[in-house]
Amino acid sequence: MSTPKTPDIETPSIEDRLYTNKYTDHEESHLGVFEEQTCLDCETYDCVSVCPANVWRDEGDGDVPFIAYENCLECGSCRWACPYDNVIWENPPNGTGMTYRYG
Ligand code: SF4
Ligand code: SF4
């Protein structure tokens, strides 16, 4: 097993920057879909391709994407990318969700 790479402070990559974020979980997803059937019929999976944090995951089983909400950066891209307006997107409750080390 390889040792995780120490984040590079001088020239941080996207992965380095993501490493510095902290998500406070309130144990309930703030993301979801309105109609599962819409996802089952979807051919674009734009929510998966647009998410910079690999929250929406096409597991290749033709099912609704898996949502790893704990990684969410709260950028809102998935909400706007879904061509069917099928994404439920709520702000995490106060005191939870993503905290950015560099604002
Ligand atoms: S893009 Fe919209 S409809 Fe398609 S899988 Fe994602 S949430 Fe479902
Ligand atoms: S809000 Fe941004 S980071 Fe969060 S799931 Fe949507 S696209 Fe991904």
Side-chain angles (χ1 to χ4, degrees), residues 1-77:
M1 184 159 59
S2 62
T3 306
K5 193 170 145 264
T6 304
D8 181 342
I9 295 174
E10 297 302 321
T11 55
S13 65
I14 289 178
E15 287 75 16
D16 291 334
R17 290 169 190 266
L18 289 174
Y19 187 81
T20 65
N21 297 333
K22 177 172 172 281
Y23 189 89
T24 303
D25 193 356
H26 75 293
E27 298 179 357
E28 189 175 331
S29 180
H30 63 291
L31 304 167
V33 298
F34 289 108
E35 297 282 345
E36 291 196 352
Q37 188 61 48
T38 302
C39 293
L40 298 178
D41 295 337
C42 180
E43 295 182 353
T44 66
Y45 280 70
D46 287 334
C47 56
V48 174
S49 55
V50 79
C51 179
N54 195 28
V55 171
W56 296 79
R57 299 176 187 174
D58 174 9
E59 305 210 296
D61 53 7
D63 207 342
V64 176
F66 178 78
I67 304 172
Y69 69 92
E70 306 91 336
N71 294 342
C72 179
L73 301 172
E74 300 167 23
C75 70
S77 301

